[in-house]
Amino acid sequence: MSGHLAVVGLGPGDARYLSAEAQDALASAQALYGYAPYLDRLPARAGQSRHPSANREERTRACAALTHAAQGARVAVVSGGDPGVFAMAAAVCEEIETGPQSWRALDLTIVPGITAMLAVAARVGAPLGHDFCALSLSDNLKPWEVIEQRLDAAASAGFVIALYNPVSHARPWQFGQAVERLRRHLSAATPVVFGRAVGRPDEDVRVVTLEGADAAPVDMATLVIVGSRETRVIARAGRSPVVYTPRAAAKVSA
Amino acid sequence: MSGHLAVVGLGPGDARYLSAEAQDALASAQALYGYAPYLDRLPARAGQSRHPSANREERTRACAALTHAAQGARVAVVSGGDPGVFAMAAAVCEEIETGPQSWRALDLTIVPGITAMLAVAARVGAPLGHDFCALSLSDNLKPWEVIEQRLDAAASAGFVIALYNPVSHARPWQFGQAVERLRRHLSAATPVVFGRAVGRPDEDVRVVTLEGADAAPVDMATLVIVGSRETRVIARAGRSPVVYTPRAAAKVSA
């Protein structure tokens, strides 16, 4: 008897973004684990148990789901966006590496989803249309100096930068400091996109510049895309502007 | 009469990865434009015209679709993976910027999809579980020196690196040279993942090390993920290994 654990990406929030593979994985699970608001998005199913947990409890949640699956059950852990991008898949892998050998025998499936930067980018055009990086601003699990080094490296080499976890209640200053750091490399006119709750009723997507980026409202659910030197804005009469990064990069970066 | 243009991501190849939003956009289009093999994946619909084109004709395809939409039609351009990642969305934006003003008046929708790096990552675990970048190795549209600078910046700062367009018939040496470049920064044991045709019958996903990476088969449809110093491999008896990058990065990068 080998249990099954699926780590399932729900996409950015609306069921329209869910893949058929994710729907199947959710429908066939005997037990669902996840952050409570994510579980609340899913329809109740007869014979399927639910195990909600708080936001910061990734490790406990992963252990509980692995333990349950190792009893021979079909278990799904749900994750916002894509489970492989700053989400539950890495947390589950960490526990498999350090946990009992029986967890390595589990049938493990990661079901990808549309991660926040892709959803936010799609709303404004194609800001990730050329080389880009994804960087978490949370210094809970890495030193702030590492984050600054990565901001420097990415901006000076010409990557567009998608910032995950820009701030939280416990980390109020990180985003402002990151913006200051990026100003060393990028002009004040660099386009910056803020996106939140894409596909949900409270969706909020704004296009500003690096000059005003630290004045824009930002919270832990906001995804920020900072353009490169190449990123462009197309004004449109009566419509929101289009932001995109051309496929060609002619200039040699500093 | 304002036409409508949707740029729709099909995901990595199998219909299981298609979102409901993408299905709706395809079903409601009067005309479909795209690379011929992508159009071949979609069911025929009465009253919907099809306009296949060759692989390298992004610009012509974008112009034709914009022209058609500006006549008042509902037009969809299909794209593999996510249209915003080295795909059709940026090509469409480039044409909007330089084309007639009427193209700016179009109702433009980008429908995100699961891009190749997310699909390949999911197959092996969570190699993109921490900071990462996406970099195209094609030097058709940027100088090779820019690519080398970006490889240096990303690897030395500790980003996992997803390489798109690693080689083509016209660019046979780029991938081998990129691997050599990365060896300046990363140990021979660094995990490297090759993924191709995820979700299709000819799917091929392999885990090797940077030492042997230039001997692995690679083509223009292959997506390569090069780990960081933190990326780990978990051996499993009778199962494929799990590759993941932990959420914590304790070390300060060089």
Side-chain angles (χ1 to χ4, degrees):
Chain A
M1 185 183 69
S2 161
H4 179 267
L5 184 70
V7 189
V8 181
L10 300 184
D14 187 277
R16 287 177 302 150
Y17 291 112
L18 209 60
S19 70
E21 190 190 20
Q23 286 173 324
D24 290 349
L26 296 171
S28 66
Q30 296 167 302
L32 297 183
Y33 285 77
Y35 176 43
Y38 294 153
L39 290 182
D40 290 343
R41 291 186 200 163
L42 304 174
R45 284 189 176 89
Q48 188 176 65
S49 64
R50 283 175 178 244
H51 308 267
S53 44
N55 193 18
R56 296 285 298 281
E57 295 179 6
E58 290 92 353
R59 192 164 178 184
T60 316
R61 183 188 307 141
C63 283
L66 284 159
T67 303
H68 196 157
Q71 291 161 7
R74 286 190 73 84
V75 174
V77 177
V78 304
S79 192
D82 180 87
V85 177
F86 307 118
M88 280 305 295
V92 166
C93 292
E94 287 166 22
E95 297 311 313
I96 290 174
E97 186 170 15
T98 54
Q101 282 292 322
S102 61
W103 289 359
R104 300 189 185 207
L106 288 171
D107 195 4
L108 176 70
T109 309
I110 315 290
V111 180
I114 292 167
T115 182
M117 67 180 165
L118 302 185
V120 171
R123 276 295 191 265
V124 299
L128 307 178
H130 200 60
D131 302 332
F132 64 92
C133 68
L135 175 61
S136 169
L137 283 190
S138 169
D139 56 354
N140 291 332
L141 292 167
K142 64 187 164 192
W144 180 252
E145 310 86 72
V146 170
I147 296 173
E148 290 195 329
Q149 283 176 348
R150 291 182 183 171
L151 289 166
D152 289 346
S156 62
F159 288 97
V160 172
I161 303 173
L163 297 172
Y164 283 74
N165 309 314
V167 293
S168 73
H169 292 302
R171 297 181 296 104
W173 53 265
Q174 279 78 350
F175 179 66
Q177 194 151 327
V179 168
E180 270 186 40
R181 192 90 190 180
L182 290 169
R183 286 186 185 130
R184 298 185 185 183
H185 307 280
L186 298 167
S187 82
T190 304
V192 179
V193 182
F194 289 75
R196 196 178 183 288
V198 168
R200 297 208 293 273
D202 54 337
E203 172 173 322
D204 186 13
V205 177
R206 311 170 180 223
V207 178
V208 303
T209 61
L210 191 59
E211 185 169 29
D214 39 5
V218 64
D219 68 8
M220 57 194 281
T222 307
L223 185 285
V224 183
I225 298 174
V226 180
S228 70
R229 296 185 198 93
E230 320 269 353
T231 304
R232 303 183 60 76
V233 178
I234 310 173
R236 299 190 298 171
R239 291 191 180 275
S240 56
V242 169
V243 183
Y244 82 102
T245 306
R247 296 166 303 156
K251 288 173 266 179
V252 175
S253 304
Chain B
M1 185 183 66
S2 160
H4 179 265
L5 183 70
V7 189
V8 181
L10 301 184
D14 187 278
R16 288 177 301 150
Y17 291 111
L18 211 59
S19 70
E21 190 189 19
Q23 286 173 325
D24 290 350
L26 296 171
S28 66
Q30 297 167 301
L32 297 184
Y33 285 76
Y35 176 43
Y38 293 153
L39 289 182
D40 289 344
R41 292 185 199 163
L42 304 174
R45 285 190 176 87
Q48 186 176 65
S49 64
R50 283 175 179 242
H51 308 266
S53 43
N55 193 18
R56 296 286 297 281
E57 295 178 6
E58 290 91 353
R59 190 163 181 184
T60 317
R61 182 188 307 141
C63 283
L66 285 159
T67 303
H68 196 156
Q71 291 161 7
R74 287 189 72 83
V75 174
V77 178
V78 303
S79 192
D82 180 88
V85 177
F86 306 117
M88 282 304 296
V92 166
C93 292
E94 286 165 22
E95 298 310 313
I96 290 174
E97 185 168 19
T98 54
Q101 283 292 321
S102 61
W103 290 359
R104 301 189 185 207
L106 288 171
D107 195 3
L108 176 70
T109 309
I110 315 289
V111 180
I114 292 168
T115 183
M117 68 179 165
L118 301 186
V120 171
R123 276 294 191 264
V124 299
L128 306 178
H130 200 59
D131 301 333
F132 64 92
C133 68
L135 176 60
S136 170
L137 283 190
S138 170
D139 56 353
N140 291 332
L141 293 166
K142 63 187 163 191
W144 180 252
E145 311 84 76
V146 170
I147 296 173
E148 290 195 328
Q149 284 176 346
R150 290 182 184 171
L151 289 167
D152 289 345
S156 63
F159 289 97
V160 172
I161 303 172
L163 297 173
Y164 283 74
N165 309 315
V167 294
S168 74
H169 292 301
R171 297 180 296 102
W173 54 265
Q174 279 79 349
F175 179 66
Q177 194 151 327
V179 167
E180 270 185 41
R181 193 90 189 177
L182 291 170
R183 287 187 185 130
R184 298 184 185 183
H185 307 281
L186 298 167
S187 82
T190 303
V192 179
V193 182
F194 289 74
R196 189 174 190 292
V198 168
R200 298 209 292 274
D202 54 336
E203 172 173 321
D204 186 13
V205 177
R206 311 169 181 224
V207 179
V208 302
T209 61
L210 190 60
E211 185 169 31
D214 38 7
V218 64
D219 68 9
M220 58 193 279
T222 306
L223 185 286
V224 183
I225 299 175
V226 180
S228 70
R229 295 183 200 94
E230 319 268 353
T231 304
R232 303 182 59 77
V233 177
I234 311 173
R236 298 190 298 170
R239 292 190 179 275
S240 57
V242 169
V243 183
Y244 81 103
T245 306
R247 297 166 301 158
K251 288 173 268 182
V252 176
S253 302

